[in-house]
Amino acid sequence: MIEKKIFLSEKDIPKQWYNLMADMPTPVLPPLGPDGKPITPDMLAPVFPMNLIEQEVSTDRWIDIPEEILEILYRWRPSPLRRAVYLEKYLQTPAKIYYKDESVSPAGSHKTNTAVAQAWYNKQFGIKKLTTETGAGQWGSALSFACNLIGLECKVYMVRVSFDQKPLRKAMMQTWGGTCISSPSDKTEIGRKILKEIPDTPGSLGIAISEAIEDAVKDKSGETRYSLGSVLNHVLLHQTIIGLEAKKQLEIAGEKKVDVIIGCAGGGSNFAGLSFPFVLDKINGTKIDIIPVEPEACPKMTKGLFSYDFGDCAGMTPLMAMYSLGHGFIPPPIHAGGLRYHGMAPLVSQAIVEGLLAPRAYNQVKCYESALLWAKTEGTICAPETSHAIACTIDEALKAKEEGKEKTILFNYSGHGLMDLLGYERFLAGKLVPYVLSSEEIAVSIDKIKGQPKAEIRKSGKW
Amino acid sequence: MIEKKIFLSEKDIPKQWYNLMADMPTPVLPPLGPDGKPITPDMLAPVFPMNLIEQEVSTDRWIDIPEEILEILYRWRPSPLRRAVYLEKYLQTPAKIYYKDESVSPAGSHKTNTAVAQAWYNKQFGIKKLTTETGAGQWGSALSFACNLIGLECKVYMVRVSFDQKPLRKAMMQTWGGTCISSPSDKTEIGRKILKEIPDTPGSLGIAISEAIEDAVKDKSGETRYSLGSVLNHVLLHQTIIGLEAKKQLEIAGEKKVDVIIGCAGGGSNFAGLSFPFVLDKINGTKIDIIPVEPEACPKMTKGLFSYDFGDCAGMTPLMAMYSLGHGFIPPPIHAGGLRYHGMAPLVSQAIVEGLLAPRAYNQVKCYESALLWAKTEGTICAPETSHAIACTIDEALKAKEEGKEKTILFNYSGHGLMDLLGYERFLAGKLVPYVLSSEEIAVSIDKIKGQPKAEIRKSGKW
């Protein structure tokens, strides 16, 4: 009998995070300040605590996970690795489909992994309050959860379209003591400015980030910091526990190799968390396809520009070298709110340029079709973000069938969709549009960042 | 290190259900027909398939679980047994608190266990469509899920107050192909009658059951049956997999005995599922406190009458010997919709009369306080029904602390509350009332069933 759930005991949880910075074939391009020069750690000090800034710039390959953080993670970690035998059977594929189930965390997604770490490091540094943004609400819930356990105040700016679509997310954050505000809001200068210019804007992650940073740096007590749920190196680092656990679990399942790794990618953190330990294998010569999946409504990896750009809408962050659609880009209101971000994590972006990753884009109608097939075979209801990984997994499994090849696929089941059922309802009622952007629409937005410093790296050209 | 999650591998899943009918100290009183005489199995044939009717009346101690049912259950079973170390620490209690986590099922609660079994037996019998009622929506979701996997149509009458409070439940059922209708509805005679008499009724499980049965028996093709999510012997039987798994897991955890078993009880199925295998131990001489917990807004076990009464509002079911508040009783609109039922499962009721169980009642404000403490320590958001079990668990853990006694408590975490966050929001806003019923209100409702046949059993008086 094939066990469909592969558990790892708590004593076998990884005790270190993996840092891809140590192994990236070419050095990662540094963030730049307003003067176009690489920023120094102290320039980030008003926004992040120094212990996290140190992680952000660290090139150590392995970084110890503090025991106190593990003690909190044990509530749901190690998360199960599962085998999707029911979907395999339905597809009549020779492929084996494994998935890492990050939906089991109390807040419902992988976001909780870094939320706990960030809250803990901030607390260690003497911080009393965190501000943040959230798209679909997964990140805001996760940080509220973590702040509650660790003893910090938490204030969340939630992208308006998601705030309106998912009112219960607010209640969830409140249950863990967090405060949730629709963004753009009248609480910040940038929020008021945008509300005046575009009163009916659906909002964007870029805007919400600007509001949260403004809120944090305005607090002159020095006891408030900002927390980001994706994109940055230290956030991706905290997520690598996913892939490291998965490796141990694949071994338990008797799998000697994986052929395809898949994850949806908004800012890049769940994708990086699963894949980076396998990217290391690829760098070391293992043959493996690694696919980040994005929505066609926000196609920075497949149609964006690799360039220096701001992480937020207002240009408050340093310039980062990344795939971007332009920091002013406001994506259509797709249900996968967590994928509505204009840029991609610098580490993921550089790995794409290096040829280590092969990004792909799907539209939300195809993704909901895949989510529905998943619900009707495997049984669970996935997050709209996760449905992008499932759509790609199904394509890869069908390709294996066509080619008559055995193949082992691993994807990240980044979160459940129990708070996102409105999207399913609208899909079932035939009310969803695919939102595929035209090249012209993309070009207009990208043109605006062509004046930024060029992001150039010398590729090793190996992959 | 204490492992906080105790897993059982799929190959060790229990292969038989446990039937308390075989061991009840005094014979269980039979259901009665309209003539006051015990009904015969064929009288139930228009409502249930004969294979389930056979289970309903079986006195075999162990009943094999068909392999095909196990194959579906493996999606989430065996469910984890967890240790609530974080709550223990917060309470500074010497008690060990274990809980069986039934929230991991795709539909979010224990209900899925019997849903799969019932759908499977109906399919075997040649049935094409099931009708049912649902309170909080857990049962309707579970049956939609099961029918989808097994290939049956599913139609759900959902109690109006819950339908309005939890619109996303409808989308969930739809995702699995189910149809969901607010009850009372204009689809049935009884629904139309009640809508005319009490247009603004919040509805009740008793009303919704009447509608679903009427819908099933009206279909003259003979291909529709009714499915009940609790109360009946065969439903409780299917849930015993919970307690049987828990026993194996406690052994893995090194626990030689359990002192207290706790479960919330609406119709009685999650409570019975966890506790009945331990009731057998108690019958065989083990000292153990077994506590079903109900809301003070619907206190049939603590303030109701042990009597013959109908299972539904319209009197369409046979008369069953059970604790009841009267089949016309419409409980206040508490958020724990799954506990808003006027009666208690005959098997649970008789075990209470026998002295094997010690029921307890809590009001919803105390329960939400407990749920919030749980969310802030253990981290997860429980269903409002489950919060009743948690409130009782906290009391028992604090009692152990007062008495300075080590004690092992096991409760059933019957479901998550991610679809019920409105209740949390209202609680946090101070808008929830406790809804404690007065003795007069209860007496008025009970008086109406005093003309029913008396339910008398000779107690063994051992416990």
Side-chain angles (χ1 to χ4, degrees):
Chain A
M1 192 177 96
I2 299 166
E3 293 265 335
K4 288 127 205 112
K5 302 178 284 294
I6 299 111
F7 298 110
L8 193 66
S9 75
E10 288 158 25
K11 64 179 169 37
D12 294 329
I13 201 168
K15 305 290 192 302
Q16 296 181 309
W17 291 302
Y18 168 64
N19 186 5
L20 182 60
M21 288 276 273
D23 295 300
M24 193 65 96
T26 48
V28 176
L29 293 173
L32 304 179
D35 56 359
K37 287 183 187 161
I39 57 160
T40 52
D42 58 290
M43 292 167 77
L44 293 172
V47 183
F48 300 111
M50 197 48 77
N51 47 12
L52 284 178
I53 295 171
E54 282 162 15
Q55 276 189 356
E56 182 66 19
V57 299
S58 170
T59 54
D60 294 346
R61 180 170 293 123
W62 298 101
I63 294 178
D64 288 344
I65 309 178
E67 185 53 47
E68 293 92 330
I69 290 178
L70 289 175
E71 192 53 41
I72 294 175
L73 298 182
Y74 289 138
R75 280 179 174 78
W76 72 97
R77 298 212 79 85
S79 71
L81 178 75
R82 297 180 190 266
R83 172 103 181 256
V85 288
Y86 309 98
L87 178 64
E88 287 173 18
K89 198 174 164 192
Y90 177 88
L91 297 174
Q92 297 182 287
T93 174
K96 295 187 213 172
I97 303 173
Y98 287 93
Y99 61 106
K100 188 69 171 151
D101 188 357
E102 292 298 306
S103 76
V104 298
S105 92
S109 82
H110 68 288
K111 292 285 187 190
T112 328
N113 301 323
T114 186
V116 167
Q118 290 191 49
W120 188 84
Y121 282 108
N122 270 284
K123 178 83 176 182
Q124 286 288 307
F125 195 70
I127 299 306
K128 303 234 164 104
K129 177 179 166 185
L130 290 178
T131 66
T132 196
E133 78 296 331
T134 196
Q138 300 273 25
W139 169 241
S141 305
L143 195 66
S144 298
F145 163 84
C147 284
N148 162 63
L149 288 179
I150 283 163
L152 294 173
E153 245 187 275
C154 182
K155 191 166 170 188
V156 180
Y157 290 87
M158 183 166 181
V159 176
R160 186 197 273 176
V161 57
S162 294
F163 187 91
D164 293 342
Q165 280 170 356
K166 302 165 192 179
L168 293 181
R169 276 284 176 195
K170 186 183 162 194
M172 195 177 196
M173 296 179 220
Q174 284 178 327
T175 297
W176 287 312
T179 309
C180 178
I181 296 156
S182 177
S183 165
S185 76
D186 59 3
K187 311 280 181 200
T188 64
E189 273 178 47
I190 179 74
R192 287 187 292 270
K193 179 166 172 283
I194 289 167
L195 281 177
K196 203 172 157 191
E197 286 168 11
I198 328 169
D200 61 346
T201 175
S204 74
L205 277 167
I207 296 170
I209 292 173
S210 294
E211 289 204 86
I213 295 179
E214 182 185 324
D215 186 327
V217 299
K218 259 192 334 206
D219 177 3
K220 295 305 170 204
S221 75
E223 293 180 340
T224 301
R225 288 294 183 281
Y226 163 73
S227 175
L228 187 65
S230 191
V231 180
L232 299 177
N233 301 344
H234 68 276
V235 182
L236 275 50
L237 175 80
H238 300 154
Q239 295 294 357
T240 58
I241 194 168
I242 301 173
L244 295 167
E245 283 180 7
K247 284 195 148 191
K248 293 188 177 199
Q249 287 163 311
L250 285 166
E251 211 176 299
I252 293 171
E255 297 298 341
K256 296 211 166 43
K257 65 173 187 64
V258 181
D259 302 288
V260 189
I261 304 270
I262 298 166
C264 64
S269 78
N270 97 74
F271 166 74
L274 179 69
S275 68
F276 279 7
F278 296 91
V279 170
L280 172 58
D281 294 343
K282 184 160 180 165
I283 290 171
N284 289 332
T286 305
K287 196 186 144 12
I288 181 166
D289 294 330
I290 306 180
I291 311 172
V293 187
E294 66 187 3
E296 289 191 74
C298 192
K300 58 251 184 178
M301 294 184 289
T302 54
K303 297 191 175 166
L305 185 70
F306 183 66
S307 162
Y308 269 103
D309 193 12
F310 295 108
D312 69 322
C313 159
M316 296 173 76
T317 71
L319 287 160
M320 292 180 289
M322 60 181 181
Y323 277 98
S324 176
L325 293 165
H327 62 276
F329 180 74
I330 296 183
I334 55 169
H335 277 269
L339 307 183
R340 292 180 71 249
Y341 184 62
H342 68 276
M344 178 47 60
L347 275 173
V348 174
S349 294
Q350 185 150 340
I352 295 171
V353 177
E354 286 276 5
L356 288 161
L357 314 176
R360 207 175 284 182
Y362 290 100
N363 74 63
Q364 72 170 355
V365 171
K366 183 180 166 81
C367 291
Y368 270 100
E369 283 165 3
S370 306
L372 205 69
L373 176 59
W374 181 268
K376 293 199 163 186
T377 53
E378 288 297 313
T380 54
I381 293 173
C382 71
E385 292 80 6
T386 310
S387 73
H388 291 69
I390 293 175
C392 181
T393 296
I394 291 172
D395 273 3
E396 286 295 307
L398 291 175
K399 203 175 104 189
K401 182 181 174 180
E402 262 175 45
E403 296 171 349
K405 266 192 203 164
E406 279 193 32
K407 192 189 269 189
T408 302
I409 302 170
L410 169 64
F411 79 89
N412 204 5
Y413 191 86
S414 55
H416 65 65
L418 299 180
M419 313 291 289
D420 309 277
L421 278 157
L422 187 66
Y424 283 83
E425 193 172 43
R426 296 188 61 221
F427 169 70
L428 289 165
K431 286 184 189 162
L432 283 196
V433 288
Y435 285 127
V436 181
L437 292 181
S438 72
S439 304
E440 290 73 28
E441 287 171 290
I442 294 166
V444 167
S445 179
I446 288 180
D447 270 349
K448 293 181 190 157
I449 57 166
K450 289 209 166 147
Q452 304 291 10
K454 283 206 172 6
E456 283 174 353
I457 54 171
R458 211 179 303 165
K459 297 180 215 179
S460 60
K462 266 202 208 160
W463 298 277
Chain B
M1 194 176 94
I2 299 167
E3 293 265 335
K4 289 129 205 108
K5 303 179 283 292
I6 299 113
F7 297 111
L8 193 67
S9 76
E10 288 158 26
K11 65 177 168 41
D12 293 328
I13 200 168
K15 305 291 193 300
Q16 297 181 308
W17 292 301
Y18 168 65
N19 186 5
L20 182 59
M21 287 276 273
D23 295 300
M24 193 66 95
T26 48
V28 176
L29 293 173
L32 304 180
D35 56 359
K37 288 182 188 160
I39 58 161
T40 53
D42 59 289
M43 292 167 79
L44 293 171
V47 182
F48 299 111
M50 197 48 76
N51 48 12
L52 284 178
I53 296 171
E54 282 162 16
Q55 276 190 357
E56 181 65 18
V57 298
S58 170
T59 53
D60 293 346
R61 180 170 293 123
W62 298 101
I63 295 178
D64 288 345
I65 308 177
E67 185 53 46
E68 294 92 332
I69 290 178
L70 289 175
E71 192 52 40
I72 294 175
L73 297 183
Y74 289 138
R75 281 179 174 79
W76 71 96
R77 300 213 76 86
S79 71
L81 178 75
R82 295 181 191 265
R83 172 104 181 254
V85 289
Y86 308 98
L87 178 63
E88 287 172 19
K89 197 174 163 192
Y90 177 88
L91 298 174
Q92 298 181 286
T93 173
K96 295 187 212 170
I97 302 173
Y98 287 93
Y99 61 105
K100 187 70 171 150
D101 188 358
E102 292 298 305
S103 77
V104 298
S105 92
S109 82
H110 67 289
K111 292 284 187 190
T112 328
N113 300 323
T114 186
V116 167
Q118 290 191 48
W120 189 84
Y121 281 109
N122 271 283
K123 178 84 173 181
Q124 286 288 307
F125 194 70
I127 299 305
K128 303 236 163 103
K129 177 180 165 184
L130 289 178
T131 66
T132 197
E133 79 295 331
T134 196
Q138 300 271 25
W139 169 241
S141 305
L143 195 66
S144 298
F145 164 84
C147 284
N148 161 64
L149 288 179
I150 284 164
L152 294 174
E153 246 187 274
C154 182
K155 191 166 170 189
V156 180
Y157 290 88
M158 184 166 180
V159 176
R160 186 198 272 175
V161 57
S162 294
F163 188 92
D164 294 342
Q165 279 171 355
K166 302 166 193 179
L168 294 181
R169 276 283 176 195
K170 185 183 163 193
M172 195 176 195
M173 295 180 220
Q174 284 178 327
T175 297
W176 287 312
T179 310
C180 178
I181 296 156
S182 177
S183 166
S185 77
D186 59 4
K187 310 281 180 199
T188 65
E189 274 177 48
I190 179 73
R192 288 186 292 271
K193 179 166 172 282
I194 289 166
L195 281 177
K196 205 172 154 191
E197 287 168 10
I198 328 170
D200 61 347
T201 175
S204 74
L205 277 167
I207 296 169
I209 292 172
S210 294
E211 289 203 87
I213 296 179
E214 182 186 325
D215 186 327
V217 299
K218 259 192 333 206
D219 178 2
K220 294 305 170 202
S221 74
E223 293 179 341
T224 302
R225 289 292 183 282
Y226 164 73
S227 176
L228 186 64
S230 189
V231 179
L232 299 177
N233 301 343
H234 69 276
V235 183
L236 275 50
L237 176 80
H238 300 153
Q239 295 294 357
T240 58
I241 195 168
I242 301 172
L244 294 167
E245 284 180 8
K247 284 195 148 191
K248 293 188 178 200
Q249 288 164 310
L250 285 167
E251 211 176 299
I252 293 172
E255 297 298 341
K256 296 209 167 42
K257 65 174 186 64
V258 180
D259 301 289
V260 188
I261 304 270
I262 297 167
C264 65
S269 79
N270 97 74
F271 166 75
L274 178 69
S275 68
F276 278 7
F278 295 91
V279 170
L280 173 58
D281 294 344
K282 185 160 179 165
I283 290 171
N284 289 332
T286 306
K287 197 185 145 8
I288 182 168
D289 294 329
I290 307 179
I291 309 172
V293 186
E294 66 187 1
E296 289 192 73
C298 193
K300 59 252 185 178
M301 294 184 289
T302 53
K303 296 191 175 166
L305 185 70
F306 183 64
S307 163
Y308 269 104
D309 194 11
F310 295 109
D312 70 320
C313 160
M316 297 173 75
T317 72
L319 287 161
M320 293 180 289
M322 60 182 183
Y323 276 97
S324 176
L325 294 165
H327 61 276
F329 181 74
I330 298 182
I334 54 168
H335 277 270
L339 306 184
R340 292 180 70 250
Y341 184 61
H342 68 276
M344 177 46 61
L347 274 174
V348 174
S349 294
Q350 185 150 341
I352 295 171
V353 176
E354 286 276 5
L356 287 161
L357 313 175
R360 208 176 284 181
Y362 290 101
N363 75 63
Q364 73 169 354
V365 171
K366 182 180 167 83
C367 291
Y368 270 99
E369 284 165 3
S370 305
L372 204 70
L373 176 59
W374 181 267
K376 293 198 163 186
T377 53
E378 288 297 312
T380 54
I381 293 174
C382 71
E385 292 80 7
T386 310
S387 72
H388 291 70
I390 293 175
C392 182
T393 297
I394 292 172
D395 273 3
E396 286 296 307
L398 291 176
K399 201 175 104 188
K401 182 180 174 183
E402 261 175 46
E403 295 171 351
K405 266 191 202 163
E406 278 194 32
K407 192 189 269 190
T408 302
I409 302 171
L410 168 65
F411 80 89
N412 204 5
Y413 192 85
S414 55
H416 64 65
L418 300 179
M419 313 291 289
D420 309 278
L421 278 157
L422 187 66
Y424 282 84
E425 195 172 42
R426 296 188 61 222
F427 169 69
L428 289 165
K431 286 184 189 160
L432 283 197
V433 286
Y435 284 128
V436 180
L437 293 182
S438 72
S439 305
E440 290 74 28
E441 287 170 290
I442 293 166
V444 167
S445 180
I446 288 180
D447 271 350
K448 293 181 190 156
I449 56 165
K450 289 209 167 146
Q452 304 290 11
K454 284 204 172 7
E456 284 174 352
I457 54 171
R458 211 178 304 166
K459 297 179 213 177
S460 60
K462 267 203 208 158
W463 298 277

